[in-house]
Amino acid sequence: MTFPIEARTMRLRDISTVSPGEIPPMLAPYPARDGKEASWDLPVVHEAVAAARRLVREALAVWGLSALADDLTVVVSEVVTNAIVHAKSAVAPSLHRQGPSVRGEVADHSLVWPTPLPAGPHEEHGRGLAIIAAYSERWGVDPAPNGKIVWFVCEERQAS
């Protein structure tokens, strides 16, 4: 299996000023040798959120974990959106397959950790972290050398 060169070589420092039209339209996941990881580097443009959702769905389909696609795409969408809006930096989403569950991570270049915002019934913003908590089994934030990593774990739900 081959992947576009852009998916293998683009790094946060290289793409932080990429314009929306320059996002490679079909970035393929760049899995680790064991096929349990996929990661991407996305620029700080709003189109990156849709690209992240598509890439997550594609990786999960390859892994045979499409049942997790709805929950994971909601969570990835929220975390990538938060990074673009609040951290104002390029993002590096990644997925790590752990049996029937997937740990997702989104790295950015901001040292400011996400904090819940009050959201009234008519507020447009302030629900992102609650959505992340509702659609994942657990989530958190870890420091990184040049920013932070927001992580989350989604598990396949048993039919009742």
Side-chain angles (χ1 to χ4, degrees), residues 12 38-42 48 52 55-56 76 80 91-96 104-107:
L12 288 175
S39 62
W40 310 273
D41 294 314
L42 300 173
L55 293 166
V56 165
V76 166
V80 170
V91 296
S94 61
L95 299 178
H96 308 272
E105 298 177 352
V106 176

Side-chain angles (χ1 to χ4, degrees), residues 61-129:
V62 168
W63 292 340
L65 294 173
S66 292
L68 294 174
D70 290 342
D71 288 353
L72 265 168
T73 54
V74 168
V75 175
V76 166
S77 183
E78 288 298 327
V79 178
V80 170
T81 298
N82 284 349
I84 289 171
V85 171
H86 300 292
K88 295 178 178 50
S89 83
V91 296
S94 61
L95 299 178
H96 308 272
R97 182 179 180 178
Q98 302 171 329
S101 67
V102 173
R103 176 185 167 106
E105 298 177 352
V106 176
D108 66 45
H109 290 298
S110 173
L111 298 174
V112 179
W113 287 29
T115 56
L117 299 174
H122 303 291
E123 297 291 327
E124 185 176 336
H125 302 284
R127 292 175 184 78
L129 297 181

Side-chain angles (χ1 to χ4, degrees), residues 138-154:
R138 58 194 173 280
W139 73 277
V141 185
D142 291 331
N146 296 312
K148 67 180 172 300
I149 298 169
V150 177
W151 60 267
F152 43 88
V153 176
C154 292

